[in-house]
Each structure stands twice: as structure tokens, then as C-alpha cells.
Amino acid sequence: MTKTIKWGILGAGKIAAKFASDLNKTHGCELVAVASTSLSRAQQFAISHGAKHAFEGYGALFGVELDIVYVATPHTYHKEHTLLCLNNGVGVLCEKPFAMDETEVDEMVKLAKTKKLFLMEAMWSRFLPSFLKVKSSIEEGRIGEIKTIAADFGFQAVYDEKSRLFNPELGGGAFLDIGIYPAFLSLFLLGYPSKIMAASIFAPTGTDETTSFIYQYDNQATALLNCTVGAYTDCEARIYGSKGSIEMHGRFHEATRLTFFGSEGEELETLEFPRDTFGYNYEIEEANECLRKGLTESPNWSLADSNKLIHLLDKTREVAKIVY
Ligand SMILES: NC(=O)c1ccc[n+]([C@@H]2O[C@H](COP(=O)([O-])OP(=O)(O)OC[C@H]3O[C@@H](n4cnc5c(N)ncnc54)[C@H](OP(=O)(O)O)[C@@H]3O)[C@@H](O)[C@H]2O)c1
């Protein structure tokens, strides 16, 4: 019989609610407990999403039996809350960005390895069928050699210096929050770049409102990437190769539609990837499967992969002068 994976959620904010909704649609797992800084928020969350236990204070989560905790707090707390779970003997799926920088990620990875516990960054796009199709199509040579990638992610956030998106103490800014997706896409398809160019425009709080960045690769490819919390943009990605291109329709990081074009730009085929979830079910299935197999990391989005990504984010921030 398939083991039912017991989940806890740490932090009852916006993404936690969407994740819980998808968890309830995923087979072979259950939401056992939620912990919040506020008891009433935890109780309301538990009622809305069918969790058996609601706790005030994150430490209380470990009074019940759990296989894994989903950490859904702001970026600046990812390390602290991941370490809290690992030190209490429970594996972790931690929201992106995995932590604020590589030093923090190293500490998380080290503890997970010492404790022999599961740890994975919630880089959910990696597991979406549309992303897998893009990857396999490129590997099959469908668009030839990648020449350039263009990808952007932008929306207009209401300026509030205390909000997660603008407050430096919560790791605010466009780049770590949404720039991570175009950075991830380029890493996923082209690997680590040989040269990084980047420029940011800053909000009054000092967090980046817009970051534009270019990655250059040894194999004659480039990626032209952008993120902003100042304006709604197309949020599309297009991968141009020597024999054609692939459009990942907006918002590309959660794509449910791909269009393939031929070498002269002629439209060849559109594929749909319908779903009745937000798309977090795929990363949940991956974590469930790893836990059932007794793995301490995902072979498909490994800790080394997360390390490469945070290293790339750190180096890009350095060039763009984004400082926390
Ligand atoms: N994968 C995705 O698609 C996706 C989408 C959005 C966000 N995210 C990531 O998820 C994380 C949370 O984002 P969110 O949009 O859910 O944020 P949010 O709505 O502000 O929720 C964050 C939660 O963290 C807890 N928290 C603990 N200490 C806090 C503090 N000092 N200030 C604010 N909140 C604190 C709060 O929950 P309690 O008070 O209930 O404990 C809060 O509700 C971020 O790292 C973000 O990058 C991922």
C-alpha cells in the first residue's frame, strides 16, 4: 500500500493557502497541521484546508507526527525555519528563493545532510509538464541549438514600504521574488553562464523595483531576462534555436500552453497542458515520491541544482548592486 505522506505547513500566508489547496488535490498525502504566528489565522487556515491541527507558534508543529514541512514564510526567514524543522527531525520543502544567499543555503544543506533528512527548494516550475516538454523538445533537437532566450516576469505591486515586496528586512524586491524564474529557466536550459550583465532600478526602500539581466554562454548563446514589480509585462518566455523556437505563453513560469515555430517563424503546433490546480501538485508529488523512497533530496531538483541557482542569484545581485 502507498504510504500517506503527512505534511505540515509553517506560515499561513498567501502562497501557503494556494499550496494547501493543491496538496488536498494530490493523492497519497494529507495536510496534518498548520502553524502560524497567530492562533486565529492557524485555526481559520485549518478549517479552510482541512488540517487536523492548528498551532500558534512554529515550534508547536513538532508535537505531532509529520514527514515533511512546507516552509512558506518570507525569504529572510527561510533559513531559520528550515533549520527549525530539521533540528526537530522533520524534512522540508522550502519556498523559493531557497534562502537569501549561498552562505545560508550551505548551512541548510549541511544540516539536512548531517541529519539525513529530506530537503528541497520549492522550485515548482521545474516539475510542470510544460517545462518538461520544453526541456525534452530541446534535447530531441526540435529547435536545433539554442541561440537566445527572452523571458520576463512583471506585475505592478502597490508601493508599501512595509510589504514583503518592498521591505528589505523581508528580502523585498523583484529579483529574488520573480526574477528567480527567468534566471531558473536559463539555468535549466543553458546551464551556468560564463558572463553576467545586470542593472537594477531601486524603490525608495532600496529594494530593486526592476532588474534587467543578460547571461552569456560559452556555446554562443545568450539569455535576455527581465523582472519588475513596477508594471504588468507579458510574462512570456521564448526560446530561439537554429531550427525554430518555442513560445512559453504567459505567465511562462506556470505555463499551460506552448507554441512551436519553424526556422522561418512559421507556426507549427500549439500544445495545451490543462490542470485543475495552481500547479504546485507536481512538486508535492515529487517530494512525496522521494520520501516514500527514503531519499534525502530530489534527483530532479537536487541540492546541487539549488546551490547553482542561489550562486547565480548572488552573482547577478552583485553586478546589479542589489544589497540586503
Ligand atoms: N511558489 C510560488 O508560486 C510563490 C508565490 C508567492 C510567494 N512565494 C514565496 O513564498 C514566500 C511567502 O510569500 P507569500 O506571498 O505567501 O507571503 P505572505 O502572504 O506575506 O505570507 C508570509 C507568511 O509568513 C509568516 N511570517 C512570519 N514572519 C513574518 C514576518 N516577519 N513578516 C511577514 N510574514 C511573516 C506569516 O504567516 P503567519 O503569521 O501565519 O505565521 C505570513 O503570512 C516567499 O518567500 C515567496 O517568495 C512563492
Side-chain angles (χ1 to χ4, degrees):
M1 215 177 80
T2 312
K3 176 178 161 39
T4 299
I5 304 297
K6 296 179 190 301
W7 285 78
I9 291 184
L10 190 158
K14 287 201 263 326
I15 188 62
K18 290 168 85 178
F19 183 90
S21 156
D22 279 5
L23 197 140
N24 283 325
K25 289 181 179 168
T26 309
H27 294 294
C29 56
E30 60 176 331
L31 178 57
V32 172
V34 58
S36 166
T37 55
S38 140
L39 182 60
S40 62
R41 194 156 48 245
Q43 286 170 334
Q44 193 49 54
F45 192 99
I47 291 165
S48 303
H49 300 288
K52 287 191 197 100
H53 304 277
F55 296 117
E56 182 178 16
Y58 300 144
L61 262 183
F62 310 104
V64 293
E65 195 195 325
L66 298 173
D67 295 305
I68 183 164
V69 169
Y70 168 63
V71 170
T73 49
H75 316 341
T76 43
Y77 291 92
H78 288 178
K79 183 191 93 169
E80 176 188 331
H81 294 149
T82 294
L83 298 185
L84 175 73
C85 297
L86 295 172
N87 277 322
N88 279 280
V90 182
V92 175
L93 175 68
C94 177
E95 257 311 333
K96 40 60 56 178
F98 212 7
M100 289 302 291
D101 57 32
E102 194 176 353
T103 309
E104 290 195 348
V105 168
D106 285 347
E107 208 180 321
M108 291 154 64
V109 169
K110 196 172 161 208
L111 186 63
K113 290 196 170 167
T114 306
K115 299 259 178 195
K116 298 188 173 54
L117 288 168
F118 181 77
L119 178 61
M120 182 173 120
E121 177 185 17
M123 186 34 76
W124 62 298
S125 305
R126 163 66 183 82
F127 301 100
L128 295 176
S130 56
F131 273 70
L132 299 182
K133 184 66 186 175
V134 167
K135 181 85 166 159
S136 63
S137 301
I138 289 165
E139 282 168 0
E140 285 157 16
R142 192 154 171 191
I143 61 165
E145 295 293 314
I146 298 178
K147 292 291 170 186
T148 192
I149 295 175
D152 80 278
F153 193 156
F155 67 92
Q156 193 172 51
V158 177
Y159 181 70
D160 170 359
E161 59 188 29
K162 292 202 173 67
S163 77
R164 189 176 71 71
L165 286 174
F166 292 98
N167 183 349
E169 285 174 18
L170 299 178
F175 184 66
L176 284 184
D177 202 62
I178 52 177
I180 189 172
Y181 289 108
F184 158 71
L185 181 70
S186 66
L187 184 66
F188 186 48
L189 299 179
L190 282 169
Y192 200 88
S194 51
K195 190 170 176 195
I196 297 171
M197 289 152 270
S200 294
I201 299 296
F202 296 94
T205 52
T207 59
D208 67 303
E209 182 187 76
T210 301
T211 296
S212 303
F213 45 120
I214 297 174
Y215 294 151
Q216 185 180 327
Y217 299 85
D218 281 338
N219 62 353
Q220 302 296 309
T222 62
L224 178 62
L225 312 168
N226 197 63
C227 63
T228 182
V229 290
Y232 284 95
T233 66
D234 290 342
C235 298
E236 292 185 336
R238 188 133 170 191
I239 301 110
Y240 297 89
S242 52
K243 293 190 201 156
S245 64
I246 308 172
E247 174 91 45
M248 303 182 75
H249 294 271
R251 299 187 304 170
F252 85 87
H253 78 300
E254 56 184 6
T256 54
R257 194 149 64 98
L258 301 176
T259 300
F260 289 79
F261 297 86
S263 55
E264 288 174 20
E266 70 280 20
E267 198 172 314
L268 299 178
E269 186 186 20
T270 291
L271 299 177
E272 306 281 348
F273 301 85
R275 57 174 186 250
D276 65 353
T277 62
F278 294 106
Y280 303 114
N281 51 307
Y282 302 104
E283 67 177 358
I284 294 169
E285 282 164 8
E286 176 74 7
N288 286 345
E289 211 35 47
C290 289
L291 288 165
R292 280 192 202 105
K293 288 180 179 159
L295 302 179
T296 51
E297 62 181 295
S298 160
N300 297 308
W301 186 245
S302 68
L303 296 171
D305 291 330
S306 286
N307 199 278
K308 272 193 203 124
L309 180 57
I310 196 74
H311 189 72
L312 181 58
L313 299 183
D314 281 4
K315 291 293 165 195
T316 309
R317 281 212 289 120
E318 223 173 276
V319 180
K321 300 185 171 56
I322 302 169
V323 181
Y324 291 97

